[in-house]
Amino acid sequence: MKKIELLAPAGDLEKLKTAIIYGADAVYIGGEKFGLRAASKNFTDEEMIEGIEFAHSRGKKVYVTCNIIPHNMDLNGVKEYFISLEKLGVDAIIVADPAFMSIAKEVVPDMELHLSTQANTTNYITADFWHKQGISRIVSARELSMKEIKDIKTHCPDLEIEMFVHGAMCISYSGRCLMSNFMTNRDANKGACAQPCRWNYSLVEEKRPGEYFPIEQDERGTYFFNSKDLCLIEHTKEIIESGVDSMKIEGRIKTAYYVAVVVRAYRMAIDSYYENPDAWQFKQEWLDEVQKASYRDFTTAFFDGSKDTSNSQNYGSGSYIRTYDIIGNVLSYDENTKLCRVRQKNRFFKNDEIEIIGPNFPTTTATIKSITSLDGKDMDCSNIPMQEVYVDLGIDVKQDYILRKKVDK
């Protein structure tokens, strides 16, 4: 049985390595040009080389986003950039526009091309059209139901389909939005979205300038453009059995901790299915796990085909929910001393109760028994970002495990 791909976001080299270590089959990244995440750190050529080597040495793939909606001026340098990507060894280029697709077919004819969700592919005739132009995979529009996606796969069995299953949703049609341009002069279709859909709004009457009337959902006002986050982990079995080729997680601007937590949860759900498809059952612990990364409530959005998406909006707040903080990454573990070397991310104290997660390692609770500086001094607290210390957790751990602590309200 061909296994479904788990595709993870990688906004920088740390996130790429984290995604692969925690179970992603492939990652999508952006270079320094032509991608839709200008706020992400993105990759230099040198970082891309290191990331591709890291992925390929583990049998994983790297896709590069070149999915802006280009104007004439944006066509300069595209040919040279695509040729450089091929030389670097990327596995596919993600495009959204016929111009970039045409250029790619001309200068890198053997390169695999994926069609971004920005292209708004919503039916099987359109999907087939793109397939005939040389597209090997489409990223389905987020506005599609599971039934519609299955219909596309039925009519286009040789075309791969990539489907968003987790992460931020957009108020606009698959991300084609002009609000950010209009309000902040930042072009969302070139990667610089200011997310004005997340802001709180009031009403101003034309002849009463300066008088702001709240559009009240409650005492805080209403965020009527603000979508909840997508989460389809409960529907893993249906998605796999639909014939979809890739389950995609959104979030190149999110933290490495977010990537680790969400990838790990979906990895567990997917692997559980392949162990025994007929007996697969959703486990609440998987949903509990993704809720330990920051999120804006969850919705299944258009999955079931419902036309009423009012429950998919978060009218009360544009803020994230955050219940856990990463406190450190395990750099190494000494079997003799039973101490792990930890790089601190958020402060922690001796006697703190924490959780430990790792790839192929169940969520485990522990108590910090001791903290020691690298020169051997006992410490009550580690409170300097990126500080490295030795920690006694009382249990065996491995490199790349993550330590986290419940947020103190």
Side-chain angles (χ1 to χ4, degrees), residues 373-387:
S373 68
L374 298 187
D375 58 3
K377 296 178 181 178
D378 289 337
M379 304 168 63
D380 291 324
C381 172
S382 176
N383 59 0
I384 302 174
M386 306 304 288
Q387 178 183 37

Side-chain angles (χ1 to χ4, degrees), residues 11 45 70 127 144 149 184 249 272 284 297 341 366:
D45 285 352
L144 294 181
I149 294 173
T184 69
I249 297 167
S272 175
Q284 181 64 35
D297 283 326
R341 184 165 177 160

Side-chain angles (χ1 to χ4, degrees), residues 10 31 43 122 132 138 180 219 241 287 324 330 338 353 370 383 385 387:
F43 285 70
T122 57
K132 289 174 179 175
I138 62 164
S180 183
E219 68 276 4
E241 294 181 351
L287 181 59
Y324 277 79
V330 176
K338 301 298 181 182
E353 292 185 2
S370 69
N383 59 0
Q387 178 183 37

Side-chain angles (χ1 to χ4, degrees), residues 115-358:
L115 190 68
S116 171
T117 191
Q118 297 294 118
N120 312 134
T121 304
T122 57
N123 64 78
Y124 59 82
I125 293 179
T126 300
D128 184 58
F129 167 83
W130 287 117
H131 192 204
K132 289 174 179 175
Q133 307 309 307
I135 294 294
S136 62
R137 174 187 292 192
I138 62 164
V139 186
S140 59
R142 303 187 201 201
E143 297 76 29
L144 294 181
S145 67
M146 188 74 260
K147 180 180 182 303
E148 290 175 301
I149 294 173
K150 288 171 67 175
D151 285 346
I152 292 175
K153 188 64 180 179
T154 299
H155 284 87
C156 307
D158 297 325
L159 175 65
E160 291 188 355
I161 296 182
E162 184 179 301
M163 172 185 178
F164 277 101
V165 297
H166 196 93
M169 294 287 282
C170 184
I171 194 67
S172 298
Y173 219 84
S174 283
R176 289 203 177 197
C177 181
L178 290 174
M179 284 181 66
S180 183
N181 303 54
F182 181 74
M183 300 181 75
T184 69
N185 199 31
R186 288 170 54 180
D187 194 340
N189 297 311
K190 293 187 181 179
C193 184
Q195 295 195 329
C197 56
R198 310 293 183 192
W199 301 347
N200 191 9
Y201 289 88
S202 297
L203 181 68
V204 179
E205 197 274 324
E206 179 183 9
K207 296 182 179 179
R208 301 182 186 182
E211 295 185 38
Y212 299 95
F213 301 95
I215 310 169
E216 290 194 8
Q217 185 71 24
D218 58 21
E219 68 276 4
R220 293 170 295 182
T222 182
Y223 297 74
F224 53 82
F225 296 127
N226 183 43
S227 175
K228 296 177 182 177
D229 282 356
L230 179 67
C231 179
L232 297 180
I233 198 166
E234 296 179 59
H235 299 282
T236 297
K237 178 182 173 70
E238 295 167 72
I239 294 169
I240 294 174
E241 294 181 351
S242 74
V244 163
D245 298 274
S246 180
M247 294 171 65
K248 184 173 191 173
I249 297 167
E250 182 276 340
R252 276 194 288 144
I253 303 176
K254 302 289 181 63
T255 64
Y257 170 67
Y258 171 94
V259 171
V261 168
V262 177
V263 167
R264 177 174 173 267
Y266 277 86
R267 181 79 272 158
M268 290 189 288
I270 292 170
D271 289 349
S272 175
Y273 172 85
Y274 286 108
E275 287 170 8
N276 193 340
D278 293 335
W280 188 90
Q281 289 186 328
F282 167 71
K283 295 180 181 179
Q284 181 64 35
E285 66 189 73
W286 301 332
L287 181 59
D288 292 343
E289 182 63 21
V290 295
Q291 289 176 323
K292 291 179 180 179
S294 60
Y295 67 101
R296 297 186 190 91
D297 283 326
F298 285 139
T299 176
T300 57
F302 301 91
F303 183 85
D304 63 0
S306 172
K307 302 301 181 184
D308 179 9
T309 57
S310 58
N311 288 331
S312 295
Q313 297 300 111
N314 186 348
Y315 299 106
S317 171
S319 301
Y320 282 97
I321 299 168
R322 185 169 56 89
T323 57
Y324 277 79
D325 275 335
I326 179 175
I327 58 172
N329 299 99
V330 176
L331 302 178
S332 62
Y333 179 68
D334 190 316
E335 293 280 357
N336 297 315
T337 64
K338 301 298 181 182
L339 296 178
C340 57
R341 184 165 177 160
V342 172
R343 178 178 292 129
Q344 186 249 23
K345 291 296 185 75
N346 284 289
R347 70 175 183 170
F348 57 88
F349 297 84
K350 182 179 177 180
N351 298 321
D352 273 348
E353 292 185 2
I354 66 167
E355 287 188 352
I356 307 167
I357 63 170

